Amino acid sequence: MPGGLMHSLTIPVSLPLRRNDVGTDGNVTLMEQSFTQSTSTTVVLWGRAQTSGSTGSQADSITACGVAVGCTDGSVFVLQQLNGFATPPNISVSIPPIPSFREPVSPPTSPRRHLGLGHPSSRSASPSSVKSALSPFQLTRSRVVSSVSTESAEAPKNYVDFDEEQERLRGMLKGKPTRDRTSSTSRTRSDREVTQITATSSSSLRKEDTRNFLTAALSPSSSTVSLPSSNPPSPTFPSAASPELGAAYPLSVRCHIFPPLAQAGSVVSALKVHEGGRYISCLHTTGGLSVHATIDGSCIASTLVEARPKPLAGSKVQPTPSVLWVWKGLLVAASEESILLFVCASPDELYPTNQFLDAGTSDSENQSLIVAYELRIGVDRKAQLEQLGQWTVDGPLNSISLRAEHDHTLTLFHAGPAGHLVSRTVKINDPLPEPGDIPGSHSSTHLPLPNPFKALKALSTENIPDTENGVSIDRIEVGVDIDLGELGLTEPLLGLRAHDGDADARICAWSAHELLIGTWAYGGLVKTPMLAVPGVQEARWIDHNSCTLLFLDRIAVYRIPSTSADQGSVEMHPCLVQAVPISPYEAAALTPNGHAISTRVKNGRRRIHHTALDPTDANEIFRTHALWKARTDAFAPHPAPRISSILPLDLDSIVVGYTDGRISRTSFQEVTQKGNTPAVQDSDFALPGPILAMDVIHNTRTRERVVVGGSDDGTIAVWALESLKLCARWTVFTTPLACVVSLEDEDVGRLHGCMLCISQDGTIAVVAVDGLQFVYLVPASAAPLKRVCLGENNLLLVYADGRARLWDTGTREFWRSMSVEKADELVQQGGWHQWEIGEPSEKTQALASPRYSPLDAASTLLLDIPTLLKQLSPSPVVSASNLSPKKKLDHARALLSILLTFGISEGIDTICGEGLSLKPASATIGVASPNTLSIVPQPSSASVWTVSPNVSADRALAILALLYYLVQFEDLAHDASTVTTFYAASVGQLVPGYQSPSLPRLAHHMLHTQSAEVRHAVRLLLDAGVARLANNEAAELVETWQQYLPIMQPEKDRESSQSAKALCICGFVAVEKYSLLPTSTLTDIAKSIAIYLHDETSPHRSLAIDLCSRGFQVWQQYVDAVEMLRALFTLATTTKKEAIAVPHIGMQARAAVLQIAAGNTPLFMTTLVLDILNPRNVQHRKSVMQLVVFLIRKKPLVLYGNLPRLVEAIVKSLDPNSSASRDAVLDSATEILSHIVQTFPTVDFHMPSQRLAVGTSEGAVVMYDLKTATRLYVLEGHKKRTTACSFSPDGRRLVTMSLEEADVLVWKVGSSFTSLFLPGAPPRQGHGGSEPFKRLEFHIGDAAHMTIEASLVNVQFEWITDRNVRLKIMDSILTFST
């Protein structure tokens, strides 16, 4: 998948699959057809416990709440109930359980308590059994009921398929026998690798429920045989509530997830559920491990599991062994602090083995690799996957199980090479502290309670391993093998499952024809007699004495009879107590209570069946019920070809590949038109199969572009982009084309001007672009291709098995094979070009294609909204696009037509259609998360607002950002503003089940988006989201996030994304609801803002500036407000780009200064004057003066009342006694005074005499001499505010005017003889006292009451001669003689 999904606002858009394709149910049918056409490999079910019964004994029943199905194409389908548990919590405020601490998070001092191994990590729901809080690993066994009749124990023959019921009834009436159900046992290599995987279904557990440690592993297929005939008493099993006959199916498709690295050959091998069904872990055979939210499929954490080289002595690393691991198993151990994931792999069956990790004399074919990870899910639904360590096991992968001990350690079970049961202890240590964090006298050895999961040695510097050489230290300790005894199977082991008791563990092991059930205790392994039970696919313990087995055609329950004290060591025989037939399946799994969940395709429709061991009602005859079934036949012929791939080049050029082997070219605007056939251009020739991959290549000589595509039969074709005429075609691959690498650089050697066409199996076809000549073919390896390196005449190919091949591009010969370490050394010498195969592209594109083949994702485009807005910008400096303004507006309308949800409000639809020229588009919206695509069903346009808070946040942001773009057009501004208000604040009132935009998601975009339109939309939605919060919700939200504020974190963690997100959420809430928050909280928020604001290297200064601007009046009470203002002054006047890490931060700081100056003028002016009079340095004073110029231009009224103070500070900065300072600020001071004189009529300057006159609001006029930087005198003639003043051309007269007094005063201000004897006194005016030389009155009516802002523009003096002046007041002109 292309990059840009980590932080950018990306919206997946699925276009119509066919021309004129206007569906009535959105994409629901399409998703169901895609589900049916996929091949399932693993299935998992989760549910919630319900208690029923009116007597003292209560029985549990499991109601299906969710099902996840993994497929061979690497994708996962999630289905959930429409009502009940599946209703998600309001994650818009994201209030998790409040921890018991309020200080920064520190490692816990209590031992890890594992909540469940092989079960989901849930801390909310639980089974009905109640455990003792003092014994976290105590298990309450299920109640066993005897006296079951023989009929109830026999294998019943009452399986009913709803679709066949009518047909069977007709046959019975005609005397026809019913059809037997059989399943084929023939399987391909892929089937052997994949369908053997049976994912352990999961249930919700409480913290006390810590004893059912079942594991998910593998079991080979075998033939179907008859059931044994033993009929012992049967336990009472928790029954599964099933839908009534005729009722709608309880499940519906929730989302279709394409995890990271989901691609051809990357099969889903295991699924695990966490937190009671909120999250699901997905493992691929190629090592992709990801964690997803089931509510919308978004990815919260992912990694690529790889075998790590083992460190050797002397800080060296041994070469990576040549092993192709297939990752098939996933074990889970949940503790109160985190979730432990154990990823298991076995060598590829068809790969030539030559060297294995830790492979001594053991059987390498039965060796397995285990890599442990720690999963921590954060408060903002983000998670971290940390690798703890890895080790190998001398035994088959499907025999690995886990057990939690009473001392809080783990025990790993597996079958050894000699058929013995082997155990190893596993300990998880806390992370090693950094040298600066090691306490001097607080070692872990001083803790009063022992903790085996802590480091065994004191945390002193001498015990910390040397990590300077980049060798990571494992946090996991694995003990030595302990032989527990021989299992006794005469055939190769196919699977092993364990169940924990209080002091022992039950073991169920099976081979192709044998079943062994035994008990392990610290005294050894006690085995029951071997049973001849062929065809076991999977096993799961229901309780300590009952185990369910899964076969190809049935499920069966075996039970070990309970022993009494007087029986002693009597040998107990496992007995069959019940068997239930199931229909043939692609994938199936056993639930914790022994029921089965399975999926298959029949009559072109996929179904999901639930098979219960015991009916809910005694009169109920049906054991298997359909939880979900597709509504249409996915394999029915279609009248028109569908989209199979898409290649976006730009908004005006999109190349589309179809299932009939043709391609066409269209534009984004045309392809989204609803009900209209786009004006497309089709290719002249069709390939034999669907087009699955395309790319565009430049011919450097002709400067033409060609389209390179491949069909599903391995054919490669080249079309001219402009005419779409077929230029060349070759059939050279056995698998479809995967990607194309263009070799345009001249320094790539002999292959300059060629392209590398790489197939899905790693075969490379070298084709010369100029002339389109096929050059040669590079064969594939048994391992997947990971990297292509090209330098001079050498082609280096790196594969997933840790090996690399070196080819000579000149002679076309294979040189040699080497380890990946040697290959890296060769590349590091320089002169190489590298291309990662299958890795996400780091290039940000406005339009991109995820390149997935399933129906519902093949036509998907990824819209990067910030990049699109940049291309649509009318400024040529911002936009590099050559589109015309009209074309840009058309594309913006096309984007909005897709994003807007028509049909919610008739009035808004009218405004959009008539005012904005927007029409509904035939496209659906998906969910984008880091390198992950999720398709969600949309039966109606409004349903997208009910998916999840994150989806609502992304969609609302995209809508508001594009509407903000339309506001710049004068004729669209009003209507765009109206629609903006609707989607920001009102849409939720009209949509049932509306999910409010997630505040953490909005904060995420605030931190990682630089687009002005998107940031503006984020602010609007944050304000609306905070306003929707009730007072108690706001207080709880801030209390939750307060512990993650920067001030609460260690210095090294203050710049983390979580801390910045906490500040964003708490800051926006505090600005609007500060009266609800305690002083301590407001202080923490204000100090956190100051931390980011004063840190020159902080990437989050933009957030601090924004919060300063919004809530300065709140923060100034808790921090040094003057220092906060000074930091803003510095940022607002910094011109060097390298001095600011975040672009456009200077512009944002200047906007914040304007906001604060208007809202808190006294403090602002005080700080401004102080920084001019007493600067830190000359450069700081110069910067502040530049800020004054900015304020004069943008907010002159802010300075109006403080002009005398400001002018005096500027004059004093020109003190001639400080020549160095004067010279440094002279230009800035001159520029400021020039702007002041031009802007404010109350200030005037006479150049020849260097006199400056400033009128005040009290009526006085202050005269300054700029030569000496001193105040000369004060003229006091007006009693009210001075409106304007002006020097005569010769400088000997000064006229002042006051609108409030309606008079003009004339002053003599020229030099006189008396001024030599009375320095500082005003010149004599020709009469006694301080009266002006002349006083002239006027009357202008209502104009005398104009505002200050109006007086800046409408009042002006104009000198006709040295003694005649004209006064203009709006339309009135008055002439005076001075």
Side-chain angles (χ1 to χ4, degrees):
M1 174 176 289
L5 294 188
M6 288 299 295
H7 300 304
S8 182
L9 176 59
T10 304
I11 304 295
V13 174
S14 297
L15 305 175
L17 279 185
R18 294 187 295 266
R19 303 170 190 175
N20 286 327
D21 190 1
V22 183
T24 59
D25 62 348
N27 62 344
V28 176
T29 299
L30 186 62
M31 291 185 66
E32 293 182 355
Q33 292 177 354
S34 179
F35 191 12
T36 301
Q37 293 182 6
S38 301
T39 302
S40 60
T41 58
T42 181
V43 60
V44 63
L45 176 142
W46 62 91
R48 59 185 172 92
Q50 291 183 338
T51 303
S52 60
S54 57
T55 61
S57 61
Q58 295 178 341
D60 293 338
S61 65
I62 299 298
T63 300
C65 287
V67 173
V69 180
C71 304
T72 56
D73 58 13
S75 66
V76 178
F77 286 88
V78 176
L79 299 91
Q80 286 186 339
Q81 282 182 323
L82 295 177
N83 299 312
F85 162 82
T87 302
N90 188 356
I91 313 178
S92 63
V93 295
S94 293
I95 302 179
I98 306 297
S100 59
F101 50 82
R102 293 297 308 278
E103 298 300 322
V105 179
S106 59
T109 57
S110 61
R112 288 177 184 259
R113 297 180 180 271
H114 294 280
L115 308 181
L117 305 180
H119 287 289
S121 53
S122 172
R123 279 158 260 185
S124 55
S126 66
S128 61
S129 57
V130 179
K131 276 72 176 181
S132 170
L134 299 177
S135 179
F137 295 112
Q138 181 179 353
L139 173 69
T140 300
R141 294 187 177 94
S142 302
R143 197 165 53 89
V144 179
V145 180
S146 59
S147 68
V148 179
S149 63
T150 303
E151 290 78 5
S152 64
E154 290 181 347
K157 301 179 180 179
N158 55 5
Y159 170 78
V160 175
D161 190 314
F162 297 116
D163 295 321
E164 296 181 352
E165 184 64 11
Q166 295 181 356
E167 179 183 349
R168 295 186 60 183
L169 287 175
R170 295 193 196 98
M172 293 172 63
L173 292 175
K174 295 179 180 180
K176 296 181 180 179
T178 58
R179 293 179 297 173
D180 294 330
R181 292 164 181 78
T182 58
S183 59
S184 174
T185 58
S186 61
R187 304 194 177 190
T188 62
R189 171 183 180 263
S190 175
D191 292 330
R192 290 196 301 271
E193 291 180 355
V194 179
T195 59
Q196 298 165 7
I197 302 168
T198 305
T200 307
S201 58
S202 307
S203 64
S204 303
L205 299 177
R206 272 197 299 247
K207 293 181 180 180
E208 297 87 3
D209 300 328
T210 58
R211 263 314 190 188
N212 276 335
F213 306 119
L214 306 181
T215 59
L218 310 176
S219 57
S221 60
S222 56
S223 59
T224 302
V225 294
S226 60
L227 291 172
S229 58
S230 58
N231 301 316
S234 170
T236 299
F237 305 105
S239 59
S242 301
E244 298 179 359
L245 291 179
Y249 297 115
L251 298 184
S252 62
V253 178
R254 182 76 185 186
C255 56
H256 185 193
I257 308 172
F258 294 86
L261 304 179
Q263 54 190 348
S266 184
V267 179
V268 177
S269 57
L271 296 171
K272 291 291 181 179
V273 177
H274 312 295
E275 300 290 346
R278 290 190 180 182
Y279 306 101
I280 187 169
S281 293
C282 174
L283 177 66
H284 291 83
T285 54
T286 54
L289 176 63
S290 55
V291 184
H292 302 266
T294 56
I295 187 175
D296 57 13
S298 57
C299 179
I300 64 173
S302 64
T303 187
L304 178 62
V305 186
E306 294 181 304
R308 206 171 53 188
K310 184 177 180 181
L312 299 176
S315 301
K316 296 182 179 180
V317 178
Q318 77 174 21
T320 302
S322 178
V323 182
L324 182 58
W325 295 105
V326 179
W327 304 91
K328 300 179 181 179
L330 185 60
L331 312 180
V332 178
S335 68
E336 294 180 352
E337 296 85 10
S338 61
I339 301 171
L340 301 180
L341 302 177
F342 296 87
V343 189
C344 308
S346 60
D348 190 296
E349 299 175 359
L350 302 182
Y351 184 82
T353 57
N354 51 14
Q355 185 179 4
F356 288 85
L357 291 173
D358 301 338
T361 58
S362 61
D363 184 6
S364 61
E365 293 183 358
N366 287 327
Q367 196 167 43
S368 302
L369 176 65
I370 302 177
V371 182
Y373 285 89
E374 184 176 37
L375 171 65
R376 291 183 178 270
I377 302 177
V379 65
D380 54 349
R381 213 179 77 164
K382 296 297 181 183
Q384 293 181 345
L385 275 173
E386 178 187 357
Q387 184 172 344
L388 305 179
Q390 69 176 38
W391 70 97
T392 52
V393 170
D394 289 331
L397 180 146
N398 50 3
S399 69
I400 301 174
S401 300
L402 283 174
R403 168 187 168 91
E405 302 296 342
H406 290 281
D407 61 354
H408 313 302
T409 60
L410 300 175
T411 297
L412 182 76
F413 287 99
H414 65 90
H420 288 226
L421 183 64
V422 178
S423 69
R424 305 172 86 173
T425 60
V426 178
K427 294 182 179 180
I428 310 296
N429 298 322
D430 287 328
L432 291 174
E434 297 184 2
D437 297 336
I438 299 175
S441 60
H442 299 283
S443 171
S444 61
T445 57
H446 298 164
L447 295 175
L449 297 176
N451 186 353
F453 277 69
K454 302 288 184 182
L456 299 180
K457 298 182 180 181
L459 297 179
S460 58
T461 53
E462 61 212 22
N463 295 325
I464 298 179
D466 182 14
T467 59
E468 294 182 356
N469 296 317
V471 179
S472 59
I473 304 300
D474 287 350
R475 285 179 49 199
I476 199 163
E477 297 181 12
V478 182
V480 298
D481 288 348
I482 300 177
D483 194 335
L484 304 179
E486 185 179 2
L487 289 172
L489 295 174
T490 61
E491 298 176 338
L493 178 72
L494 297 183
L496 184 148
R497 300 293 176 263
H499 185 276
D500 282 339
D502 294 333
D504 60 6
R506 295 288 196 192
I507 302 296
C508 176
W510 68 91
S511 63
H513 300 88
E514 298 170 322
L515 175 67
L516 172 69
I517 297 179
T519 303
W520 172 84
Y522 292 101
L525 179 64
V526 179
K527 296 174 289 186
T528 61
M530 194 81 62
L531 300 178
V533 182
V536 177
Q537 303 295 303
E538 180 58 273
R540 183 151 192 171
W541 289 92
I542 304 173
D543 54 37
H544 204 54
N545 294 324
S546 302
C547 179
T548 301
L549 303 182
L550 174 67
F551 298 86
L552 290 176
D553 60 347
R554 68 190 186 280
I555 55 176
V557 179
Y558 282 81
R559 177 179 172 270
I560 301 177
S562 302
T563 58
S564 59
D566 55 353
Q567 286 180 299
S569 58
V570 177
E571 189 178 64
M572 305 304 297
H573 294 264
C575 303
L576 174 67
V577 296
Q578 191 176 9
V580 178
I582 61 175
S583 60
Y585 56 83
E586 283 183 1
L590 296 173
T591 65
N593 49 17
H595 307 310
I597 183 76
S598 61
T599 179
R600 66 163 178 161
V601 176
K602 180 183 177 183
N603 298 330
R605 296 174 174 87
R606 179 168 294 280
R607 304 123 193 275
I608 295 179
H609 289 154
H610 184 269
T611 302
L613 284 172
D614 197 27
T616 306
D617 188 350
N619 298 323
E620 179 68 68
I621 62 173
F622 301 115
R623 298 293 182 91
T624 298
H625 298 278
L627 297 182
W628 178 85
K629 185 178 73 171
R631 293 173 293 180
T632 59
D633 185 355
F635 300 99
H638 297 284
R642 293 183 171 185
I643 295 178
S644 57
S645 62
I646 193 165
L647 174 64
L649 303 179
D650 52 50
L651 290 170
D652 268 342
S653 183
I654 297 177
V655 181
V656 181
Y658 289 92
T659 53
D660 62 352
R662 297 182 182 273
I663 66 172
S664 65
R665 193 180 66 182
T666 182
S667 68
F668 181 80
Q669 182 182 359
E670 293 168 344
V671 80
T672 57
Q673 292 178 356
K674 187 171 185 178
N676 297 322
T677 302
V680 297
Q681 180 182 5
D682 294 329
S683 60
D684 61 343
F685 187 83
L687 296 188
I691 306 296
L692 298 184
M694 291 186 295
D695 209 336
V696 64
I697 301 296
H698 295 260
N699 188 326
T700 55
R701 185 184 66 83
T702 63
R703 301 186 181 276
E704 296 177 350
R705 294 189 297 175
V706 296
V707 176
V708 181
S711 62
D712 64 347
D713 67 339
T715 299
I716 307 173
V718 180
W719 295 270
L721 178 61
E722 297 299 327
S723 62
L724 294 187
K725 291 185 177 181
L726 184 66
C727 302
R729 172 188 170 192
W730 306 275
T731 303
V732 292
F733 294 149
T734 58
T735 58
L737 177 71
C739 63
V740 181
V741 176
S742 177
L743 307 178
E744 299 179 4
D745 295 333
E746 296 182 357
D747 53 351
V748 295
R750 290 178 176 269
L751 297 185
H752 168 62
C754 294
M755 61 179 175
L756 304 181
C757 300
I758 305 174
S759 69
Q760 293 179 0
D761 64 358
T763 305
I764 300 177
V766 182
V767 178
V769 177
D770 193 8
L772 297 177
Q773 296 294 322
F774 178 82
V775 182
Y776 56 86
L777 199 69
V778 180
S781 171
L785 180 64
K786 292 185 59 178
R787 184 167 25 126
V788 175
C789 307
L790 191 61
E792 291 294 333
N793 296 329
N794 298 317
L795 177 64
L796 183 64
L797 305 178
V798 181
Y799 294 93
D801 60 351
R803 303 298 298 175
R805 294 179 178 179
L806 186 63
W807 297 79
D808 189 325
T809 59
T811 61
R812 308 178 186 179
E813 295 178 349
F814 171 70
W815 277 20
R816 62 189 179 98
S817 176
M818 65 185 74
S819 66
V820 66
E821 288 78 15
K822 293 292 184 181
D824 290 338
E825 293 179 3
L826 186 64
V827 172
Q828 289 174 2
Q829 296 177 4
W832 292 83
H833 294 263
Q834 301 186 64
W835 296 270
E836 299 289 338
I837 307 301
E839 292 292 327
S841 172
E842 297 181 358
K843 183 180 178 181
T844 302
Q845 301 175 354
L847 296 178
S849 172
R851 299 188 177 185
Y852 295 130
S853 58
L855 282 179
D856 52 352
S859 62
T860 300
L861 285 175
L862 302 178
L863 308 182
D864 190 294
I865 301 300
T867 306
L868 283 169
L869 288 170
K870 185 177 180 181
Q871 291 187 0
L872 298 176
S873 173
S875 172
V877 178
V878 177
S879 175
S881 174
N882 56 1
L883 296 175
S884 64
K886 182 181 181 304
K887 200 69 175 178
K888 291 181 178 180
L889 180 58
D890 290 341
H891 285 308
R893 283 173 168 155
L895 290 169
L896 272 173
S897 297
I898 291 176
L899 296 172
L900 293 178
T901 49
F902 293 87
I904 298 177
S905 170
E906 184 177 351
I908 295 298
D909 291 349
T910 302
I911 295 175
C912 292
E914 299 178 359
L916 301 178
S917 300
L918 302 176
K919 298 179 181 179
S922 54
T924 55
I925 305 299
V927 182
S929 53
N931 299 320
T932 302
L933 171 66
S934 179
I935 306 295
V936 294
Q938 295 170 47
S940 65
S941 60
S943 60
V944 73
W945 298 110
T946 65
V947 177
S948 73
N950 279 5
V951 175
S952 297
D954 285 357
R955 180 124 185 199
L957 271 181
I959 291 174
L960 266 59
L962 285 164
L963 287 172
Y964 187 68
Y965 169 81
L966 294 187
V967 170
Q968 65 182 313
F969 298 94
E970 185 176 353
D971 57 332
L972 304 177
H974 181 267
D975 291 334
S977 299
T978 302
V979 179
T980 296
T981 304
F982 172 77
Y983 280 99
S986 303
V987 65
Q989 303 173 9
L990 303 178
V991 178
Y994 176 75
Q995 296 288 315
S996 299
S998 165
L999 297 186
R1001 183 69 170 180
L1002 295 174
H1004 167 85
H1005 288 298
M1006 171 68 81
L1007 298 175
H1008 299 104
T1009 303
Q1010 298 303 321
S1011 168
E1013 294 87 353
V1014 175
R1015 293 181 67 87
H1016 175 77
V1018 169
R1019 296 186 189 99
L1020 288 179
L1021 290 173
L1022 281 174
D1023 289 338
V1026 172
R1028 278 193 295 263
L1029 295 177
N1031 290 344
N1032 61 328
E1033 292 177 337
E1036 291 177 4
L1037 177 64
V1038 173
E1039 185 179 3
T1040 299
W1041 284 91
Q1042 182 180 355
Q1043 60 184 315
Y1044 302 104
L1045 288 172
I1047 192 64
M1048 306 291 289
Q1049 304 302 314
E1051 187 173 355
K1052 61 183 179 64
D1053 296 331
R1054 288 179 175 176
E1055 302 296 338
S1056 67
S1057 177
Q1058 187 180 54
S1059 293
K1061 196 177 297 184
L1063 178 58
C1064 182
I1065 295 172
C1066 295
F1068 269 83
V1069 175
V1071 169
E1072 299 296 330
K1073 300 178 181 290
Y1074 60 88
S1075 61
L1076 302 175
L1077 306 180
T1079 302
S1080 59
T1081 300
L1082 293 173
T1083 302
D1084 289 343
I1085 297 174
K1087 289 183 177 180
S1088 298
I1089 294 173
I1091 288 175
Y1092 284 164
L1093 193 63
H1094 295 294
D1095 186 357
E1096 296 182 358
T1097 62
S1098 174
H1100 306 305
R1101 295 181 97 179
S1102 176
L1103 172 64
I1105 294 172
D1106 203 317
L1107 292 176
C1108 279
S1109 174
R1110 301 175 66 86
F1112 185 80
Q1113 293 183 348
V1114 178
W1115 321 131
Q1116 67 177 351
Q1117 305 176 42
Y1118 306 101
V1119 292
D1120 190 338
V1122 174
E1123 287 302 316
M1124 186 175 282
L1125 270 177
R1126 284 172 175 164
L1128 289 175
F1129 289 171
T1130 302
L1131 290 172
T1133 56
T1134 300
T1135 57
K1136 295 182 179 180
K1137 293 183 179 180
E1138 62 272 11
I1140 301 178
V1142 181
H1144 309 301
I1145 204 171
M1147 184 184 304
Q1148 186 183 1
R1150 288 189 289 272
V1153 167
L1154 292 177
Q1155 182 75 16
I1156 296 172
N1160 199 324
T1161 304
L1163 177 63
F1164 176 82
M1165 292 306 304
T1166 299
T1167 306
L1168 197 66
V1169 171
L1170 286 175
D1171 281 8
I1172 294 176
L1173 294 177
N1174 304 299
R1176 299 173 182 173
N1177 49 57
V1178 175
Q1179 182 60 38
H1180 180 69
R1181 174 184 280 171
K1182 185 177 180 180
S1183 298
V1184 174
M1185 288 185 173
Q1186 293 175 357
L1187 182 61
V1188 173
V1189 175
F1190 173 74
L1191 288 171
I1192 294 172
R1193 294 173 178 172
K1194 299 294 183 180
K1195 291 280 187 180
L1197 291 180
V1198 172
L1199 302 177
Y1200 185 87
N1202 296 273
L1203 270 179
R1205 295 175 59 193
L1206 177 62
V1207 172
E1208 184 163 351
I1210 296 172
V1211 171
K1212 288 184 177 180
S1213 69
L1214 298 174
D1215 187 357
N1217 296 322
S1218 178
S1219 58
S1221 175
R1222 179 186 175 95
D1223 294 341
V1225 301
L1226 181 59
D1227 293 340
S1228 298
T1230 303
E1231 184 181 4
I1232 291 176
L1233 293 177
S1234 174
H1235 281 87
I1236 289 177
V1237 172
Q1238 295 175 15
T1239 305
F1240 300 98
T1242 56
V1243 182
D1244 197 22
F1245 176 67
H1246 187 253
M1247 177 68 72
S1249 62
Q1250 292 290 295
R1251 299 289 177 89
L1252 181 70
V1254 182
T1256 66
S1257 58
E1258 295 80 11
V1261 178
V1262 183
M1263 187 70 71
Y1264 294 97
D1265 183 6
L1266 297 190
K1267 293 179 182 179
T1268 59
T1270 58
R1271 179 195 294 185
L1272 292 178
Y1273 48 81
V1274 179
L1275 301 174
E1276 297 178 334
H1278 296 290
K1279 302 304 181 183
K1280 296 183 179 180
R1281 178 174 61 88
T1282 304
T1283 305
C1285 66
S1286 179
F1287 284 100
S1288 64
D1290 61 359
R1292 300 184 66 85
R1293 294 288 187 272
L1294 176 70
V1295 292
T1296 63
M1297 185 269 287
S1298 173
L1299 277 178
E1300 298 178 10
E1301 293 181 346
D1303 60 3
V1304 174
L1305 304 182
V1306 181
W1307 304 85
K1308 292 181 178 181
V1309 294
S1311 300
S1312 63
F1313 181 76
T1314 58
S1315 62
L1316 298 176
F1317 300 97
L1318 298 172
R1324 293 178 62 86
Q1325 303 298 320
H1327 48 75
S1330 60
E1331 290 297 319
F1333 177 62
K1334 288 183 180 181
R1335 182 183 294 271
L1336 306 171
E1337 296 181 356
F1338 60 87
H1339 300 281
I1340 57 173
D1342 294 338
H1345 304 291
M1346 71 175 65
T1347 62
I1348 295 176
E1349 184 178 5
S1351 67
L1352 299 183
V1353 180
N1354 298 319
V1355 177
Q1356 184 180 4
F1357 280 109
E1358 289 183 1
W1359 288 89
I1360 304 172
T1361 65
D1362 289 344
R1363 294 297 176 265
N1364 293 302
V1365 63
R1366 181 183 295 133
L1367 174 61
K1368 292 183 177 181
I1369 304 175
M1370 297 184 69
D1371 296 333
S1372 302
I1373 300 177
L1374 307 176
T1375 304
F1376 303 95
S1377 175
T1378 62

